Each structure stands twice: as C-alpha cells, then as structure tokens.
Amino acid sequence: DVTLESAGSYRVVVSNPAGQATSGAADLRISQPPAITGPVMVTVDEGKPLLLQPQIRGLQPFTYSWRRNGNVTGTGAALEIPNATPADAGYYTLNVSNPDGSAAYAVQVVVAEAPRILTQPASTTVGIGQTAMLWVQATGYSPLTYSWTRNGELIPDAEGPTLIIPSVTASHAGNYVVHISNRVSSISSDAATL
C-alpha cells in the first residue's frame, strides 16, 4: 500500500553475471488533497470566546479562507472570536486548498443569548376575592426558567412567565419579582406591587 511515507526518490539496480546497472532517479510524489472534519453546529454562550478549529488533513502548504455571509472573516486554520455576540451567529464556511486540490467545511454557530426582559411585570390593584395576574415577557436562549418571589420569599410552583393568584386575600399584598435564567446567566425583574 502506498502511504505518505512512500514518497521519495527511487532507483532500480539490475544485475546479472555480466554486471549491474543502476537507473536514474525516479521521484514518487504522493498527492493528497485536503480533507476537513469538524462539528456541523457549535453553540457558544454570549460573551464567551468562540473558537472554530476543524481537523485538516492533507499535504501542506495549505491556504485557508473563512467566510460568513460571503465575506472573508479569516485566513488561518482556526477562526477565533474573543467575545461572541448574537451578531456572530450564522453559517461559516472554510475553504482549504493545497497543490493537490481543495475542500470545504461548513458550520452553524449558535450564540446562546443571556435572558433579557422585554416587558416588566406591572403593579396592579385587585379586590379581595378577585384573580390577580402578573406576567413578564422575556427572550434569550431556551430553555428559560422562571421563579417568582413575594417580598423576597420563593413562591412554590410559580415557574412560568405568568403568575396567577386566584381569590386574592390581604396576605397576597406585597412586592413580586420574577427571576429568569438560562445556561448563560440570570436576571431579575423590577418589583411589581400587588
């Protein structure tokens, strides 16, 4: 079997009882176009470094070209973004070439965004015996987890973006805060007074 180690100069020596003769050198060059392997999707937390570094095999020298949305973003074997933001999400391609050919690699980058509150819970007034509802609108990398507190105390089973209190009593009065978290970080809402 021919391997990369088989490359080199070869000569043949022919001999018989009358003598021997040595041929001129014949050079064997092994061609090996690049081959690229790596993940097809990478998730990075917002604010963390992103390193795209697929494995590249073949004979060097290589030339590299990283692209995102058709624009060149790098010319090395790896692409590093020191502080990933949502704007860095998308599809990246790497083209690698050598004298024997070329190969392409594509990877989808997902930036896991920290939770953000789009609509804060609003203070409300309801009568005794009525139903109170507090809600928050948030965005961020899924899944988002929610927990509600009243006057700093965790409310059992209040684990969604909406808090419904049926048949309000005077003991329900207080300041309500929702805490939202995901794999990136957590955030707390402004207090809403009931």
Side-chain angles (χ1 to χ4, degrees), residues 41-161:
M41 187 170 90
V42 173
T43 301
V44 61
D45 292 348
E46 182 177 9
K48 300 290 184 186
L50 167 65
L51 178 63
L52 300 177
Q53 191 171 22
Q55 294 181 349
I56 302 167
R57 293 182 317 280
L59 292 178
Q60 295 192 29
F62 294 126
T63 58
Y64 310 92
S65 177
W66 282 96
R67 293 182 178 271
R68 179 174 176 271
N69 299 332
N71 300 316
V72 175
T73 56
T75 56
L79 179 66
E80 184 173 5
I81 298 171
N83 184 14
T85 68
D88 295 316
Y91 289 91
Y92 290 77
T93 57
L94 170 63
N95 290 306
V96 178
S97 60
N98 70 6
D100 298 322
S102 63
Y105 165 75
V107 59
Q108 179 185 7
V109 171
V110 175
V111 177
E113 295 183 52
R116 289 179 179 78
I117 295 176
L118 303 175
T119 305
Q120 294 281 349
S123 295
T124 188
T125 302
V126 297
I128 299 292
Q130 293 182 325
T131 298
M133 183 171 72
L134 299 170
W135 62 275
V136 66
Q137 183 181 11
T139 187
Y141 187 76
S142 293
L144 294 175
T145 59
Y146 299 84
S147 61
W148 289 83
T149 59
R150 181 176 57 83
N151 299 329
E153 296 292 322
L154 185 65
I155 302 170
D157 301 319
E159 300 172 344

Side-chain angles (χ1 to χ4, degrees), residues 13 15 22 25 37 45 52 54-55 71 75 81 104 134 154 175 178 180 187 191 193:
V13 177
S15 62
T22 302
T37 57
D45 292 348
L52 300 177
Q55 294 181 349
N71 300 316
T75 56
I81 298 171
L134 299 170
L154 185 65
N175 291 316
V178 60
I180 306 164
I187 189 171
T193 303

